[in-house]
Amino acid sequence: MGGIDTGDTAYVLGCAALVMLMTPGLAFFYGGMVRARSVLNMMMMSLVSLGVIGLIWVLFGFSLVFGDSHAGLIGGFEFAGLRQVDVVVGGVPLQAFAMFQLMFAVITGALLSGAIADRARFWPWTLFVAAWTVVVYLPLAHWIFSIDGAVSEHGGWLANTLGALDFAGGTAVEINSGASALALALVLGKRPGWPHEPMRPHNLPAVLMGAGLLWFGWFGFNAGSALTAGAVASNAFVTTMTASAAAVLSWLVLEHRLDGRPTSLGGASAAVAGLVGITPACGYVDTFGALLIGLVAGLVCQLAIRLKYRLGYDDSLDVVAIHGVGGVTGLALLGLVSTHAVNPAGRDGLFYGGGFGLLGVQAVAIGVAAAWAFGLSALLAWIIRRTIGFRVPEHVEAGGIDESEHAESAYEYSPLHTTGRGSGLLSRHTEPAEEHR
Amino acid sequence: MMLVTAIVKPFALDEVRAGLDRLDVSGLTVSEVNGFGRQRGHTEVYRGADYQVDFIPKVRLEVVVEEPVVEKVIEAVVAASRTGKIGDGKVWVTPVETVVRVRTGERGADAL
């Protein structure tokens, strides 16, 4: 292993922290979109993902993804515990790279929670997301993120044997979360009253703040995936901005045509859709490729949201439409607009004289990721549903999941809400003794 | 004594209050209410799903006054809250049998 490049190390550590911020950002993005009585539960699902996936990753998750591959399917246990302070990969300490990748695992797990707003019990969710990380995420991430010779000699089969291109996680993060979310929504079932009763977002400024934090962190996610502060990273930064900007405009224009107004929720969703679309492509396309991907993502993801009403699955916050469909859009279009000119490690797509080869490879990667994620997530969710139960009872859902699962409420609606004396520890300890009254 | 109740648009509240200040009105109760009249509700669209909002926020003012002032109070409220558009609100008057000031036990007009 070579020496440490301090510039690249600083870059990767900074990007890791940027990506970390995406999960709290997602909590606001999702939290604002649910009703006021379930916002805390929504945000807690993201928070506990940081806890449980963070630990799994440090203990053995990183190792199973980036350890030396067994037949391209799963890594080994050689990096378990992440105590390798002197291992350097590509000029960056292994530990820095591992923390960057940890944040990817966390946000992907947290993303799924949007499909089951208002109705999942907290501990079954925690158990699910832990099992899902091990069974679904780690293998898929190994297949696509572990490049031969990067960390270990042998990497995963999607990236190396098949040769699929996925710069920052269109498969392992986006399609994975979209397909897993669909499985969760189907296994848990819809909320009572959906889709006839209004389930309006209770705090759109929170949604916009969350979208802003996601957008900000996404530069770490995408440009950081270059793992070195250079031309490829800069190009990925440009394409990330280009695609998200294009998606905002195309979404709002289409929304105005379809619904009569450009909305703030639409704009926030559009930015995320564009970012999702460009994620697999950001290091392999130029500005014009990014423009195309962003424009298309803004249109296709918006139309895909309408699918849930047609097909009747309660993907509450549209994880399928934005992450699943957006990921497919980005990976597929990459087969058209990928260009070798911006990245020597890339390939030319159909529009750049590369023929249909890459498009076919991308289609296989899409199919594999979606089938793997959907099938295993459905199985895991079904097992939890049948054993310990996954959902809160209907009357709890109607009364508000925050109160039943967390014994908290997000907002004080009226002074009457907090009248009455506490009977807990605090009041017992601060009660003055009888003779001093 | 009469109880004048008015349902008006929230933004009209300050002007109504200023109008009542000029009369012999010694107190006012205000509450936030929701409802619909001829204005009905409106439609909001979230990610393509549209919701009919049936109840529109309004402000309810209640003021108890002596009979001679009632007409002036009604005029003041109407003048301050009329925009000429649908949804400006309503004012109605009901008789009040008695009023008690809690602090002193005074009754009737003395308690106003």
Side-chain angles (χ1 to χ4, degrees):
Chain A
M1 302 287 174
I4 290 175
D5 183 317
T6 51
D8 286 347
T9 304
Y11 178 65
V12 170
L13 287 171
C15 284
L18 276 178
V19 180
M20 184 275 162
L21 196 56
M22 291 173 72
T23 297
L26 183 78
F28 277 102
F29 184 66
Y30 279 174
M33 261 187 266
V34 297
R35 289 167 292 177
R37 58 178 188 250
S38 44
V39 50
L40 294 176
N41 175 256
M42 194 72 245
M43 299 182 84
M44 281 287 281
M45 288 198 275
S46 284
L47 183 65
V48 82
S49 298
L50 272 161
V52 73
I53 303 177
L55 270 188
I56 289 173
W57 191 260
V58 169
L59 294 179
F60 63 91
F62 173 79
S63 191
L64 286 182
V65 175
F66 290 100
D68 204 34
S69 190
H70 300 288
L73 296 177
I74 193 74
F77 281 99
E78 60 266 43
F79 301 125
L82 278 185
R83 287 173 299 171
Q84 293 72 14
V85 290
D86 48 358
V87 178
V88 177
V89 290
V92 175
L94 178 102
Q95 288 183 319
F97 174 64
M99 285 303 99
F100 179 67
Q101 285 291 337
L102 179 151
M103 307 308 172
F104 280 57
V106 168
I107 181 97
T108 310
L111 278 169
L112 311 185
S113 62
I116 51 171
D118 303 334
R119 57 197 189 278
R121 287 165 55 213
F122 181 73
W123 289 119
W125 155 260
T126 308
L127 181 66
F128 171 83
V129 83
W132 173 90
T133 299
V134 176
V135 176
V136 181
Y137 184 83
L138 297 183
L140 196 49
H142 175 69
W143 300 348
I144 197 74
F145 286 153
S146 183
I147 309 291
D148 281 351
V151 178
S152 301
E153 195 181 337
H154 305 101
W157 73 278
L158 276 182
N160 303 291
T161 314
L162 183 69
L165 288 189
D166 180 359
F167 194 76
T171 48
V173 176
E174 307 302 349
I175 291 183
N176 187 2
S177 57
S180 300
L182 179 61
L184 269 180
L186 289 173
V187 172
L188 267 78
K190 45 192 167 188
R191 293 166 288 179
W194 186 89
H196 310 293
E197 270 176 35
M199 295 176 179
R200 287 184 288 159
H202 87 286
N203 189 340
L204 287 169
V207 174
L208 289 164
M209 183 177 74
L213 289 172
L214 283 168
W215 199 337
F216 178 69
W218 224 298
F219 289 112
F221 194 97
N222 280 0
S225 288
L227 297 173
T228 171
V232 173
S234 304
N235 182 64
F237 205 117
V238 170
T239 57
T240 298
M241 189 62 219
T242 307
S244 43
V248 166
L249 289 179
S250 70
W251 183 302
L252 290 179
V253 169
L254 177 66
E255 188 178 37
H256 193 137
R257 298 269 312 169
L258 293 174
D259 301 334
R261 295 283 195 288
T263 68
S264 63
L265 179 59
S269 314
V272 176
L275 292 160
V276 167
I278 197 63
T279 290
C282 60
Y284 299 123
V285 299
D286 63 15
T287 319
F288 293 107
L291 187 66
L292 178 75
I293 290 172
L295 287 173
V296 173
L299 304 177
V300 171
C301 292
Q302 183 176 179
L303 294 172
I305 284 176
R306 285 149 213 261
L307 274 178
K308 70 175 179 183
Y309 299 109
R310 291 248 175 97
L311 303 177
Y313 58 90
D314 183 7
D315 170 19
S316 317
L317 310 181
D318 302 304
V319 191
V320 179
I322 291 183
H323 295 273
V325 173
V328 170
T329 303
L331 278 161
L333 289 179
L334 182 55
L336 303 179
V337 296
S338 178
T339 168
H340 194 248
V342 298
N343 186 346
R347 274 175 73 176
D348 285 333
L350 183 64
F351 292 177
Y352 289 85
F356 285 94
L358 183 59
L359 198 57
V361 165
Q362 296 300 99
V364 172
I366 290 168
V368 166
W372 176 263
F374 180 83
L376 287 173
S377 297
L379 179 67
L380 290 175
W382 183 81
I383 292 172
I384 288 178
R385 201 188 86 174
R386 292 301 298 263
T387 52
I388 57 174
F390 214 143
R391 280 185 71 154
V392 294
E394 203 168 298
H395 69 272
V396 165
E397 208 180 306
I401 191 169
D402 284 357
E403 210 185 301
S404 78
E405 287 294 298
H406 307 292
E408 290 177 301
S409 49
Y411 310 101
E412 185 181 297
Y413 296 104
S414 103
L416 292 177
H417 194 83
T418 43
T419 54
R421 280 156 47 96
S423 58
L425 289 173
L426 262 180
S427 59
R428 225 174 290 150
H429 284 302
T430 52
E431 204 134 56
E434 197 65 41
E435 61 266 31
H436 294 133
R437 280 198 184 150
Chain B
M1 287 168 297
M2 293 292 192
L3 166 66
V4 181
T5 307
I7 306 278
V8 299
K9 288 182 170 168
F11 65 79
L13 182 60
D14 280 345
E15 275 200 49
V16 172
R17 201 212 125 110
L20 293 177
D21 267 349
R22 288 191 282 272
L23 302 168
D24 189 17
V25 171
S26 52
L28 177 67
T29 303
V30 178
S31 40
E32 293 175 33
V33 293
N34 295 281
F36 69 84
R38 294 200 182 164
Q39 188 183 3
R40 311 301 303 188
H42 61 275
T43 305
E44 297 182 2
V45 185
Y46 298 96
R47 278 186 177 168
D50 56 320
Y51 297 118
Q52 180 66 30
V53 179
D54 291 327
F55 302 114
I56 301 168
K58 299 280 175 189
V59 166
R60 179 175 61 200
L61 302 115
E62 287 159 306
V63 50
V64 180
V65 292
E66 289 191 78
E67 218 162 330
V69 203
V70 167
E71 274 309 314
K72 283 183 185 160
V73 168
I74 296 175
E75 276 168 34
V77 171
V78 170
S81 54
R82 177 183 285 164
T83 68
K85 296 205 185 85
I86 198 161
D88 274 350
K90 300 258 189 303
V91 183
W92 63 87
V93 182
T94 41
V96 172
E97 207 143 284
T98 191
V99 175
V100 181
R101 187 190 307 279
V102 172
R103 174 168 53 88
T104 58
E106 289 165 286
R107 287 188 164 244
D110 291 339
L112 290 183

